[in-house]
Structures are given as structure tokens and as C-alpha cells.
Amino acid sequence: MAGAQMTRREALAMVAAALGMTMIAGCSPEWLDATSELTKRDLEVARNIGKTESDIEGMRKRGRASDDVRGAEAAEDYLAKRYGEQFKAVGTETEYDSAVSPSRVVVTLAVVSGPAAGAEFRAVYRLEDGPSWSDDYVSVRLDAQLRAIATEAFSEGFGDLSKGEAVWQSEVSRTLFYADAADGHAIDPDVSLEDPGEYFAPKFVVFASPTTSLTEEGLTERLERAARVFKRARVVVFLHAYRVTAPVGDEGFTYEWADSVTYDGENVDWACHLSTEAGSED
């Protein structure tokens, strides 16, 4: 009926069409055109993103892939072209400004190979303010690189302590970046930990247990040892070490427990903070 309100199905079809028009220049049109014939890739991606066998049978009967399957394929193709690596879509979600007006398509993907293999991240196709892609894969890649160096740094600084006497974690902030600065925050896909810029805030955190044999000076000296590993790798990172003062419960001394009981700076002392930024103290 003319002037009738668009259905949710029609809204999803509009998203798929937008995805196809955006990516068609760099990918095979038959992969993205929702009216094209069903392909082996469609069936594989459908299973990867959690489609049921009933859903897949419905696709076979219609002879075409569902809109979210083609959106997942568009995300895989966009990211492969941008980063020169392979990714696998494992989930999709469409976000709405209203009951029938889609605003974003969010595709969850897994890294297929390399140091970050298995890690999941997001690619977001935004419809409002002009169609555009953004993703947080760079954060995932840098996080995997930082963890490899942090493992060596903890071993260098704290590896001779008794098991459970100190726990650690490294982290890079998750941030969505656009391919084009005209759309929002953009980033060079080859950015490194040597110069990570203002968005990633790489950090390395160590918690010593309440019963540690370390002194306050010993904790600081060991964090300095760990910092030298990051400096040799030419990595910019902020290092923090604390002794936890809360009594350890039956769950044992884990990083997750220590982080939860020291929230807002409570239940800690002997705080030590270092940075490997240029111009920072050794």
C-alpha cells in the first residue's frame, strides 16, 4: 500500500542493499547482491554466524541468501581488502533508531591466523550520516602484540616469585576506527606499538598478593626490570604495580579477583607507576 510503514523485513533488505552498493566496486557483485543465486559461501557463512538448519533450508527453498549473511560476507571482504588478512564472520546484529529504521549493522568477526588468531572484534556498517564502515581490529592486533611482549616482561621482572604471589594483565583500549577520516576517527592500519597515538593507551598491570615476600622497594625494582623489556622492544606502555591488602578468599589470588577488589583504588598500597614513553623516567 502506498505510504504504508516499512516492515522490519523491508528495513533489513534496505541495509543489505546499502552494503552491496558500498562494496560492489571491490568485490564480486554475485556475493553481495541479495537477489543472486545461493552459493556455497552463503551456506558456510550462514552456519558461521549461527543460522539454524531451518534457516538454511529456508534459504535453499528461496534460492537466495538472507540479508544478514550477505552483510557478514561484505564485512569479511571489506576487512580482507583493508588489512590484507583473513577473517571469519561469527555473528551479526542490526541496530535500529526506531522500530523500522535501521541505523547500524554490527558484524562480529574472528581472526583466522597470526598472533591474534581466535580473537573476536567488530565491524560496524553505519547508515546514518552517510554509509561508512568502522572496525576495532587494530586494537585486537596491537593487544596480541603487547601480550606477547608482556609475557616476557613479567617473566623478567616477577618470574622467580612463588606461584600465585603476583598476577598480571596487559591491555590495549578497544576503539572503533573508520577507514576515512571524513567519517570519524581514522587510523593508519599499520600503526604500531612504537607510536600508538592517543587512542590505545597500552598498559601492563601487576598485582602482588597480600602475603607477598616483596618489600615496597622490591616491587618497584621488579617493575623497572619489566619496563626494560618493553623498552628493548621499543613499545610505548604504561606500567602499574600494586600490593593488594584485602584478604584472599577461597577463589584464590587471580587477576580478576585482585582487579575487582581494588576498584576505585581501594584495598591497595605500594603503588608504583612507570612509562616507556619518550622522555619518561627509566
Side-chain angles (χ1 to χ4, degrees):
M1 181 185 298
Q5 191 177 45
M6 182 169 53
T7 67
R8 193 174 183 87
R9 172 71 184 177
E10 289 168 338
L12 283 170
M14 185 180 75
V15 174
L19 284 166
M21 288 187 292
T22 299
M23 295 301 298
I24 207 166
C27 306
S28 302
E30 63 268 20
W31 288 353
L32 302 172
D33 179 4
T35 64
S36 66
E37 293 182 359
L38 193 66
T39 68
K40 289 182 178 180
R41 182 188 182 189
D42 294 332
L43 298 175
E44 180 181 356
V45 170
R47 291 189 175 92
N48 290 343
I49 66 173
K51 288 289 187 183
T52 66
E53 287 304 315
S54 177
D55 294 332
I56 292 171
E57 182 60 27
M59 288 167 48
R60 286 196 176 99
K61 289 180 178 178
R62 292 190 302 272
R64 58 181 290 273
S66 60
D67 303 332
D68 51 354
V69 168
R70 290 294 165 82
E73 292 170 359
E76 290 179 346
D77 295 338
Y78 162 74
L79 293 160
K81 184 177 180 180
R82 177 160 170 75
Y83 297 110
E85 299 181 40
Q86 187 179 359
F87 307 97
K88 180 175 75 174
V90 295
T92 64
E93 179 184 0
T94 302
E95 298 179 356
Y96 288 81
D97 281 337
S98 64
V100 296
S101 179
S103 60
R104 304 198 311 169
V105 177
V106 182
V107 182
T108 302
L109 300 104
V111 183
V112 172
S113 61
E120 294 185 357
F121 66 101
R122 297 169 298 157
V124 178
Y125 187 81
R126 184 184 67 179
L127 286 93
E128 72 271 23
D129 302 324
S132 59
W133 280 105
S134 62
D135 67 88
D136 59 0
Y137 171 63
V138 172
S139 297
V140 168
R141 175 174 60 80
L142 294 181
D143 190 72
Q145 294 173 0
L146 180 65
R147 185 166 185 83
I149 300 167
T151 299
E152 179 185 351
F154 182 80
S155 178
E156 178 77 15
F158 301 87
D160 61 334
L161 296 178
S162 300
K163 184 177 181 180
E165 193 171 348
V167 292
W168 68 279
Q169 184 63 273
S170 63
E171 181 181 310
V172 170
S173 297
R174 285 289 189 99
T175 305
L176 288 166
F177 291 102
Y178 293 90
D180 188 339
D183 297 319
H185 292 310
I187 197 74
D188 180 346
D190 296 322
V191 66
S192 74
L193 287 169
E194 291 186 30
D195 185 18
E198 63 182 299
Y199 298 110
F200 298 108
K203 66 178 182 179
F204 172 74
V205 181
V206 176
F207 290 112
S209 74
T211 58
T212 181
S213 60
L214 291 174
T215 62
E216 183 174 4
E217 293 75 14
L219 183 65
T220 300
E221 189 275 330
R222 285 169 179 274
L223 192 66
E224 290 171 347
R225 278 195 235 163
R228 287 194 284 271
V229 174
F230 289 108
K231 289 185 177 182
R232 287 198 300 268
R234 302 180 64 84
V235 168
V236 172
V237 63
F238 300 93
L239 300 91
H240 311 277
Y242 311 90
R243 184 181 69 165
V244 180
T245 58
V248 180
D250 294 338
E251 63 269 36
F253 186 65
T254 65
Y255 183 88
E256 291 72 20
W257 173 83
D259 189 49
S260 67
V261 299
T262 58
Y263 187 73
D264 284 343
E266 298 179 348
N267 299 313
V268 294
D269 61 7
W270 298 359
C272 176
H273 308 286
L274 300 173
S275 170
T276 61
E277 281 190 306
S280 64
E281 294 183 3
D282 291 338

